[in-house]
Amino acid sequence: MALKKSELYSSLWQSCDELRGGMDASQYKDYVLVLLFIKYVSDKYAGLPFAPVTIPDGASFADMVALKGKPDIGDQINKRIIAPLAQANKLANVPDFNDPAKLGSGKEMVDRLTNLIAIFEKPELNFSKNRADGDDILGDAYEYLMRHFATESGKSKGQFYTPAEVSRIIAQILGVRTAKITADTTVYDPTCGSGSLLLKVADEVAPAKLTLYGQEKDAATSGLAQMNMHLHDNSEALILPGNTLTDPKFTDGTQLKTFDYVVANPPFSDKRWSTGLDPANDPFNRFQTFGIPPAKQGDYAYLLHIVRSLKNTGKGACILPHGVLFRGNAEGEIRRNLVRKGYIKGIIGLPANLFYGTGIPACIVVLDKQEAHTRKGIFLVDASSGYAKDGPKNRLRAQDIHRIVDVFNRQLDVPRFSRLVPFEEIEKNDFNLNLPRYIDSQQEEDLQDIDAHLRGGVPVRDIDSLAPYWAVCPTLREALFKPNRPGYVDLAVEQSAIKATIYTHPEFSAFIAGMNAHFAIWRDRAAATLKALEPGCHPKQVIAALAEDLLKHYLDKPLIDAYDVYQHLMDYWAETMQDDCYLIAADGWKAETYRVIEKKNGKEKDKGWACDLIPKSLIVARYYAAEQAAIDDLTAELETVTARLTELEEEHGGDEGAFSELDKVNKASVAVRLREIKRDKDAAVEAAVLSEWISLNDKESDYKRRLREAEAELDAKAYAHYPTLSEAEIKTLVVEDKWLGAIGRSSSTEVDQVSQELARRILTWAERYDGPVSQMAARVVTLEESVRIHFIKMGFEWN
């Protein structure tokens, strides 16, 4: 069985259960990630000459397995596994596997480490079987764990992880993909954490190579970054521990080393940034040109370090809190100098609550020295409203990332989202770069029309605001509205008929048909591409090409947001299609069935069979539709009988009902009671009810039996059908019935939402201006009189 990402993730996260309770997530992540590293490099490189990671004899994962249960397991892991691996691969700051304070002492430590190793022995964690090598399945697993560790670490300890979505934005707006890249092209992260930002930039040019440099203040985290580089085939990267501001490790003599690209997510508003440093006499001259940051606010200290670390043609991006855009005094002066120098190319405002360790909103400050002298303004993007909720945090969706990158790289002016702000306008605002000063991202509220409230009618101004709909369906407007007076119209249909009028209108029907035909064009093109997939394909490349083609296919279509359609595909990829593609990459187009065994309380229970690539429902729908229809009919008949039984019991279940003499309503008790009263003429009604119950109960039992037999027969037919499937049939079932069928259904909801949104807007206005105030006042008088009469009839006085 091929390695599935979903199984990989669940197994890795299960390993954390062995360590929870003994230490904080920010600590136990080190043990899990080190073990993941050892398992992966052992599977991939043990015994291979010239491998990027050296596995010394006796220091592989198999040698670690041999230590399970030994009383000195922790000490032996340190000496026989960790130390040789670290020395051979220049790894530093590896956690201590013999630390009783974290792992327990005696048998507790032995059991914990033994169980932890056993988890990594699972078949689904055999990385040697992953044939999608260039797809970095391990890197995704590492990222998954880092995200979860950051979530559990709490506010004070989640800084080691930059959300992957933000890292991708930075990597894609730097322009490395379109630049002339050589092995000498350098990328530097002065606060690299686990190295995710560096690796996302490197991934943009793969398989070409960049030279990566990173420095990290936390020694344990710098060790994880080193391993992360090895796991991502960037073993040449140089990661060094130390405080970047007080002790920068990358220098050329007395000057800072400069780089082609610099990226960073420094600690927000570091209050101790200057501890151990005299900013006024900084030996690297980082603050003399632009100004010295406040002693208790270190954001600009890191930004100025980046500026100084960039070559004259260098580009950079730094994640900072929004305060850097508008705070005054020393920071205001630094900001003024940076703007005047032309170094700031753009600013991207991000949603709040994205980052682990803080809930405040942040922004990406984009630097570009190369074009500083020709720059006419700063490109601003307010992306604060595009996100999805993800537990306690917010998360950028694939569509949010794509929209931001597209707009920024093309410098597109999008209302309420982005614009190029000239320096003259920024200077008039005293170099305050707070985004709301330049971009009003708030949605317009409907204006209340006083004349419409007083005299009735819907303002034509409101109807005109729906111009994109009328451009597609010109005569629909006339079908929905009729004249009232100049500047106002009335609804031409009942409020309850608004949606039906829209949906059944010939022009809207033509729009739906056109959208269906438009999807069909893409579907046919995608089907040909997907059916051509072969073992060894790279799933990430597959989805990248497929998604880009879908987005481009919808970009010029009216009323439909192409990015929303794109998101449907990306969601389905994450839920289902990704695992399917990895199965195909590993094993080809094989529809293999397997038994589902449930383990509970030490016992195993056979839950039947399953097939991951082609679920049973697809086989049934294509080959056994008649049998399924018969089962559906039986089910409906069974439900009818069961409903009548329930109704009978409720109707005659009272104190004097036919079932009142029974302790339990079942066939045996009903039959006994029926024999007792069979000759009692006074109990004829009760006997009839009980007789009907017996008849219905027999029918229910018969339907259940027939249903079980039919389902078992269909199950057997479907199971027997899998070995007969040709490769062409498998491709049809997977590509057309499963993948494109699901994508088509989810994408069609965008068309449904067009009619729903139009109907909602019209209904809002219709209800708002439903009759003039004079009519409403008269209605109140009428209702008040009805209530008065009602109260008097009830005997109450009405004053």
Side-chain angles (χ1 to χ4, degrees), residues 686-762:
E686 181 183 351
V689 171
L690 296 179
S691 295
E692 183 182 0
W693 190 95
I694 289 286
S695 176
L696 288 170
N697 182 261
D698 288 341
K699 283 184 179 181
E700 183 183 50
S701 298
D702 182 56
Y703 280 133
K704 286 181 177 179
R705 177 188 58 78
R706 290 165 58 191
L707 190 58
R708 284 195 303 270
E709 291 173 354
E711 288 176 338
E713 183 179 355
L714 178 57
D715 188 73
K717 286 182 177 180
Y719 183 73
H721 200 99
Y722 281 88
T724 72
L725 291 171
S726 66
E727 184 173 292
E729 288 176 313
I730 292 174
K731 289 181 177 180
T732 297
L733 284 162
V734 174
V735 175
E736 296 182 13
D737 296 4
K738 186 180 183 182
W739 293 348
L740 296 176
I743 296 166
R745 287 188 294 273
S746 62
S747 298
S748 67
T749 61
E750 294 304 314
V751 178
D752 293 337
Q753 287 180 9
V754 170
S755 64
Q756 291 171 10
E757 176 61 15
L758 179 58
R760 184 192 66 80
R761 295 283 298 277
I762 294 173

Side-chain angles (χ1 to χ4, degrees), residues 359-560:
I360 65 173
C363 62
I364 301 172
V365 178
V366 185
L367 304 170
D368 186 354
K369 282 188 175 182
Q370 185 173 15
E371 300 175 1
H373 62 287
T374 62
R375 190 156 287 122
K376 303 298 183 183
I378 298 177
F379 191 75
L380 304 183
V381 178
D382 187 345
S384 58
S385 60
Y387 61 88
K389 293 297 295 180
D390 186 11
K393 307 300 292 183
N394 295 331
R395 177 178 53 82
L396 293 171
R397 299 163 295 182
Q399 71 179 92
D400 303 318
I401 298 170
H402 212 305
R403 195 189 304 269
I404 291 169
V405 172
D406 286 349
V407 166
F408 190 89
N409 286 345
R410 299 173 190 171
Q411 301 282 283
L412 300 176
D413 189 331
V414 179
R416 303 186 179 279
F417 190 74
S418 62
R419 61 180 287 239
L420 179 64
V421 180
F423 286 136
E424 294 79 5
E425 185 175 349
I426 293 172
E427 189 168 0
K428 287 180 182 178
N429 280 290
D430 197 24
F431 296 90
N432 186 317
L433 296 176
N434 199 19
L435 296 177
R437 283 181 177 255
Y438 307 99
I439 300 174
D440 182 6
S441 61
Q442 300 299 313
Q443 292 296 319
E444 285 188 6
E445 294 185 9
D446 286 339
L447 297 176
Q448 297 284 342
D449 190 295
I450 302 301
D451 191 60
H453 281 298
L454 292 174
R455 302 168 61 192
V458 178
V460 171
R461 178 191 64 245
D462 289 345
I463 308 303
D464 288 343
S465 70
L466 300 177
Y469 295 93
W470 312 138
V472 174
C473 305
T475 65
L476 176 58
R477 178 172 180 163
E478 298 174 7
L480 289 167
F481 301 101
K482 60 185 178 182
N484 177 301
R485 63 185 186 281
Y488 296 87
V489 295
D490 288 327
L491 201 60
V493 298
E494 295 294 327
Q495 291 184 9
S496 59
I498 292 174
K499 188 171 181 179
T501 302
I502 294 170
Y503 209 80
T504 59
H505 192 275
E507 289 173 347
F508 194 81
S509 298
F511 169 71
I512 294 175
M515 285 294 101
N516 291 338
H518 190 70
F519 178 79
I521 294 171
W522 177 84
R523 181 191 61 210
D524 293 344
R525 186 166 67 235
T529 300
L530 292 171
K531 287 181 180 180
L533 296 181
E534 295 180 353
C537 65
H538 294 157
K540 282 189 179 177
Q541 295 176 11
V542 172
I543 187 57
L546 194 69
E548 288 303 312
D549 187 46
L550 180 64
L551 180 64
K552 184 179 178 181
H553 191 64
Y554 276 90
L555 274 177
D556 62 341
K557 304 311 293 182
L559 303 182
I560 301 293

Side-chain angles (χ1 to χ4, degrees), residues 548-622:
E548 288 303 312
D549 187 46
L550 180 64
L551 180 64
K552 184 179 178 181
H553 191 64
Y554 276 90
L555 274 177
D556 62 341
K557 304 311 293 182
L559 303 182
I560 301 293
D561 188 327
Y563 291 95
D564 287 340
V565 178
Y566 169 86
Q567 186 64 42
H568 284 297
L569 171 57
M570 299 308 292
D571 287 342
Y572 182 67
W573 172 260
E575 294 164 4
T576 302
M577 194 174 171
Q578 175 179 234
D579 273 343
D580 289 347
C581 279
Y582 275 97
L583 289 175
I584 294 165
D587 299 330
W589 296 90
K590 295 180 181 179
E592 297 178 341
T593 56
Y594 60 91
R595 305 305 299 182
V596 180
I597 305 300
E598 181 183 85
K599 294 181 180 180
K600 191 173 183 180
N601 300 325
K603 297 181 179 179
E604 294 186 351
K605 184 177 181 180
D606 191 333
K607 302 288 287 184
W609 59 273
C611 177
D612 291 324
L613 192 60
I614 303 178
K616 172 186 168 182
S617 58
L618 294 178
I619 294 288
V620 169
R622 182 166 279 271

